[in-house]
Amino acid sequence: MTLFDDFAPVVRPPELPRTDISYAVEDTAVGRLLLSVRPDGRLVTCAYVRSGDEEEAWLQRISDVVSPRVLRAPSPLEGVRRELDDYLGGRSTRFTVRPDLVLASAFQRSVLEGLVASVGYGSSTTYGALAAAIERPKASRAVGTALGANPVCVVIPCHRVLPAGSSADGQVRNVGGYAGGPAAKEYLLRLESGSSGRSSR
Amino acid sequence: MSLPPFQTLVDAHWRDVARLAHALAGPNLGDDVAQQAWAQALAAYPRVTSARNLRGWLLTITHRCAMDAHRAGRRTVAHEDPAALASAPAVPGPVAPDDGLWSRVDALPSRQREAVVLKYVADLDHRAVACALDTTPAMSRRLVSDALAALRVDLEDLR
């Protein structure tokens, strides 16, 4: 029995204040990214979400690990969006936004921090070399896994890590795995090598 | 304890919260009440201990906000003009083309009105209605059935 089903006042969604996590899903040159930030602007995710399920899974993880106060709000993400846009368009080579690796394990954090410290714009390394750089020379497979789960892609440049022997004569043959797919990885590598990444996609 | 991201609640339930707020507080205060309920829910959300009935939790907060707005409204009226208190309608009548049903709901004793609105506008079960009204499920059932009986008599008089 639903006496009042026809009662449909004109209503609008609530307007809520900025909270623990603000997020937005952004379509970029390398694919769809879930951007989320803390109130102080630190970037918690810049994660590839190729389906609604992937988006849901990331948001649930943020809710479980950081805070369940997670709201979709585009304006706190404007700065990040602009920096990404400039970077992917080849108009800048660095980010000022600070990543927050709260979603990474201790090992993952050491891998990602080692990567940032040792591999600059336009250069690349291998899984084995990065494992050696963080003094875990036998852990190249674990390094690959850690990079694959990078919560802050592009900004923390896990795309600069390639399989051993993948490049010869300055030509990259096999870029290896990437959360955003091999095409996105190739786009970023070409962009950073300065050879017209923009026109390739 | 795993809670869904708050945005999931907003997307799934904002229409229900707005509907209940409008039904309980009327068209003038409805928006404010819904807005306030969401702000309170967001603030309290990390302390929620069970993800089982989040819709009921939201509607209970909405009900409480509506009652607070109601009391605040009465106080203002009483302060400005004590005589207006007696004649002020308990709930400003929502404007709905329903052959006067809402004015009849409006005229119910307040507990019956709240119970019937929670039951049928918010679509809560008797346990949740009881929780919102701070009473027992048996009492909620009683209030709703008395309200429906009164409405039925009223509407039959019309025919």
Side-chain angles (χ1 to χ4, degrees):
Chain A
M1 177 170 174
T2 47
L3 267 173
F4 306 122
D5 261 6
D6 294 339
F7 179 55
V10 180
V11 292
R12 53 199 162 83
E15 283 161 34
L16 286 165
R18 185 166 179 173
T19 186
D20 299 351
I21 293 285
S22 309
Y23 79 90
V25 175
E26 188 71 8
D27 281 313
T28 71
V30 286
R32 180 165 281 202
L33 293 167
L34 172 69
L35 307 175
S36 65
V37 292
R38 300 259 209 184
D40 62 7
R42 278 177 304 155
L43 189 60
V44 172
T45 65
C46 177
Y48 289 96
V49 285
R50 288 183 286 183
S51 68
D53 285 354
E54 282 183 10
E55 180 185 333
E56 217 171 277
W58 275 108
L59 290 172
Q60 186 61 56
R61 228 177 116 211
I62 294 169
S63 180
D64 290 341
V65 175
V66 186
S67 161
R69 284 194 282 230
V70 177
L71 283 175
R72 190 169 53 236
S75 62
L77 292 147
E78 248 157 51
V80 183
R81 199 180 299 129
R82 207 172 29 244
E83 285 196 12
L84 258 180
D85 200 44
D86 285 349
Y87 190 91
L88 295 174
R91 292 181 296 280
S92 85
T93 59
R94 55 186 286 276
F95 291 96
T96 63
V97 59
R98 285 170 304 145
D100 180 336
L101 291 177
V102 64
L103 294 179
S105 67
F107 176 71
Q108 228 183 321
R109 223 166 288 178
S110 72
V111 171
L112 296 172
E113 280 161 4
L115 168 68
V116 170
S118 62
V119 187
Y121 189 90
S123 54
S124 66
T125 186
T126 65
Y127 297 106
L130 182 56
I134 61 163
E135 289 166 6
R136 297 285 297 272
K138 287 180 187 158
S140 63
R141 189 172 287 269
V143 164
T145 307
L147 292 168
N150 179 9
V152 194
C153 288
V154 186
V155 177
I156 294 187
C158 57
H159 57 272
R160 291 178 198 155
V161 188
L162 305 168
S166 65
S167 60
D169 334 319
Q171 290 289 319
V172 175
R173 296 228 157 77
N174 165 25
V175 293
Y178 188 54
K185 193 168 186 175
E186 280 163 21
Y187 177 94
L188 288 162
L189 292 169
R190 251 197 310 274
L191 173 76
E192 296 186 359
S193 72
S195 59
S196 71
R198 229 179 306 183
S199 61
S200 70
R201 206 176 136 122
Chain B
M1 178 62 228
S2 180
L3 291 169
F6 196 76
Q7 186 66 47
T8 313
L9 272 65
V10 177
D11 292 341
H13 303 306
W14 71 266
R15 284 181 184 81
D16 286 346
V17 166
R19 241 156 66 98
L20 179 61
H22 278 250
L24 287 172
N28 299 329
L29 289 173
D31 273 353
D32 285 352
V33 164
Q35 186 69 38
Q36 205 186 347
W38 279 111
Q40 286 187 13
L42 178 65
Y45 191 47
R47 296 192 300 276
V48 167
T49 52
S50 160
R52 268 217 324 259
N53 188 6
L54 292 169
R55 181 174 178 277
W57 174 72
L58 285 168
L59 294 178
T60 302
I61 293 175
T62 309
H63 174 260
R64 197 175 58 220
C65 287
M67 295 306 113
D68 287 350
H70 203 46
R71 274 190 285 275
R74 280 195 194 184
R75 267 198 299 280
T76 316
V77 173
H79 178 254
E80 283 164 10
D81 177 9
L85 182 60
S87 60
V91 170
V95 189
D98 60 5
D99 300 327
L101 175 60
W102 270 103
S103 60
R104 286 177 172 76
V105 172
D106 196 10
L108 290 170
S110 65
R111 299 279 285 177
Q112 285 185 24
R113 186 185 60 243
E114 287 166 24
V116 87
V117 164
L118 288 167
K119 180 78 177 68
Y120 293 110
V121 178
D123 202 22
L124 292 175
D125 60 19
H126 284 295
R127 259 184 47 187
V129 174
C131 187
L133 294 178
D134 197 18
T135 181
T136 61
M139 187 45 123
S140 158
R141 208 165 271 127
R142 175 82 186 273
L143 287 166
V144 170
S145 93
D146 286 355
L148 291 182
L151 290 171
R152 218 167 273 136
V153 169
D154 272 3
L155 291 169
E156 268 159 21
D157 283 352
L158 278 181
R159 301 209 171 99

